[in-house]
Amino acid sequence: MKLDHYTEIEEAEVGAPAKDVKVRWLITEGMGAPNFAMRKFTVAPEGYTPKHVHPWEHETYIESGGGMVFGNGKENTIKPGDVIYVPPDEEHQFRNTGKEDLVFLCLIPHQKK
């Protein structure tokens, strides 16, 4: 077992083409998790992830703040407590449209080569 408080894990800027997004890799393959990674994202007001597509899924839980998620060709409002499944190969984006940080957990499978 590995136990940490999330604040003990380094937070890093995501960088362009994202805007005002930070990530903490809470659980990774390097920590011994063989299948999935857990990440905690913080998106500042007016910040966003880029619209993008990849061959793996996302499981996302909105902790705090608000905004919108683009997926399945449309925008949907998101709020604390919402859960979002983004299937593989679907274009998606998270955007903070509120006045406080949008914070969410996101799980992805490790990319096996």
Side-chain angles (χ1 to χ4, degrees):
M1 177 187 295
K2 181 167 176 30
L3 173 64
D4 289 305
H5 191 270
Y6 83 95
T7 58
E8 297 171 349
I9 297 170
E10 180 181 357
E11 184 175 55
E13 291 285 339
V14 171
K19 178 180 182 269
D20 297 328
V21 179
K22 295 180 182 177
V23 64
R24 292 179 200 260
W25 287 81
L26 302 177
I27 299 174
T28 65
E29 193 169 26
M31 295 172 181
N35 299 308
F36 284 86
M38 179 187 291
R39 306 169 301 167
K40 182 174 183 139
F41 285 92
T42 302
V43 184
E46 299 184 19
Y48 54 82
T49 64
K51 281 187 180 174
H52 63 288
V53 175
H54 42 66
W56 56 88
E57 66 193 68
H58 288 304
E59 288 83 15
T60 306
Y61 173 77
I62 307 302
E63 284 189 356
S64 62
M68 76 89 189
V69 63
F70 174 84
N72 202 23
K74 62 182 182 176
E75 293 184 353
N76 293 283
T77 301
I78 53 177
K79 64 189 178 314
D82 284 345
V83 293
I84 303 152
Y85 170 69
V86 179
D89 301 314
E90 182 176 290
E91 186 177 37
H92 57 283
Q93 177 188 46
F94 292 84
R95 182 178 294 273
N96 185 340
T97 58
K99 298 195 184 298
E100 62 183 70
D101 286 347
L102 169 63
V103 180
F104 59 92
L105 294 176
C106 183
L107 284 78
I108 58 170
H110 294 308
Q111 309 313 301
K112 304 295 183 191
K113 294 183 176 150

